[in-house]
Amino acid sequence: MKAFIFDLDGVIVFTDKFHYQAWKKMADGMGIYFDEKINNRLRGVSRVESLEIILERYEGEPLSAERKAELMEEKNNTYRKLLSTMTPADVTDEVRNTLKELHERGCKLAIGSSSKNAKFILEKVELLDAFDAISDGNNITHSKPDPEVFSKAGEFLGEKPDNCIVVEDAYAGIDAAKAAGMTAVGIGDAFGYDKADVKIQTFSELLKLAE
Ligand code: B16
Ligand code: MG
């Protein structure tokens, strides 16, 4: 049976609105222009790279590494406050039932997320037990499009890359999956990406890949 590796934000849950609010608060405090279009560029991108994208609009004196670390901490504190309002209702029945059905069919399931908050999010929505392994921002040194997060997820599951199917909403995530030698399924934003091996419009279409 196949092993599935799921990106978290944009596939299982939708926390981009919280990322937006938290970065917006930080950017406003620094007098930096930030909008939803710029926020879209942060999809699947690590925290430190997200900050650098936002700072492209910064016109003040160069910031020290310490100041950048402070800004990321400030953003993360706001973000975690927003995440703490999440409940199991933030995961659709379709997602929950599909994960259950894939498990029942004998598939192994893992998370492959850039986020350092992945476990916190999964606890809030009560999905931690739905996965056999979690590879996230805490166990990687290179972020997507580097394959590391997915290669680690495959290792944690004890599966070879050619048996792993990655489900991703970000272009960088599809590139990472292909670089890992895995099958890449594009959903959401990545539905429009020609490098995805399979494109799906709704989560339950994954069941067709586990027949
Ligand atoms: P954190 P994913 C990614 O999650 C988000 O899409 C991206 O916007 C965020 O910057 C990144 O996690 C890091 O998140 O600040 O919580 O460590 O899509 O890879 O599940
Ligand atoms: Mg994502």
Side-chain angles (χ1 to χ4, degrees), residues 90-163:
D90 286 300
V91 172
T92 63
D93 287 345
E94 182 188 6
V95 167
R96 218 174 268 281
N97 293 336
T98 302
L99 291 172
K100 196 162 166 263
E101 177 67 25
L102 288 172
H103 242 164
E104 282 168 8
R105 291 189 190 179
C107 299
K108 289 185 191 171
L109 311 181
I111 287 288
S113 165
S114 305
S115 177
K116 294 186 173 172
N117 294 299
K119 281 191 186 147
F120 182 58
I121 295 168
L122 291 169
E123 272 167 26
K124 295 303 298 178
V125 299
E126 293 180 13
L127 264 187
L128 205 48
D129 294 344
F131 299 96
D132 304 297
I134 293 173
S135 174
D136 65 17
N138 297 298
N139 62 255
I140 55 169
T141 46
H142 306 289
S143 52
K144 302 167 189 174
D146 188 281
E148 188 179 12
V149 73
F150 296 133
S151 301
K152 285 264 164 63
E155 275 171 37
F156 294 163
L157 291 176
E159 292 288 338
K160 294 220 168 69
D162 61 6
N163 200 41

Side-chain angles (χ1 to χ4, degrees), residues 28-54:
D28 285 352
M30 295 281 291
I32 304 170
Y33 179 78
F34 182 62
D35 62 15
E36 304 253 8
K37 203 169 158 221
I38 301 171
N39 193 57
N40 265 341
R41 291 175 56 203
L42 312 184
R43 210 181 289 278
V45 168
S46 71
R47 196 180 306 169
V48 64
E49 286 162 337
S50 298
L51 178 67
E52 292 301 337
I53 290 171
I54 292 166

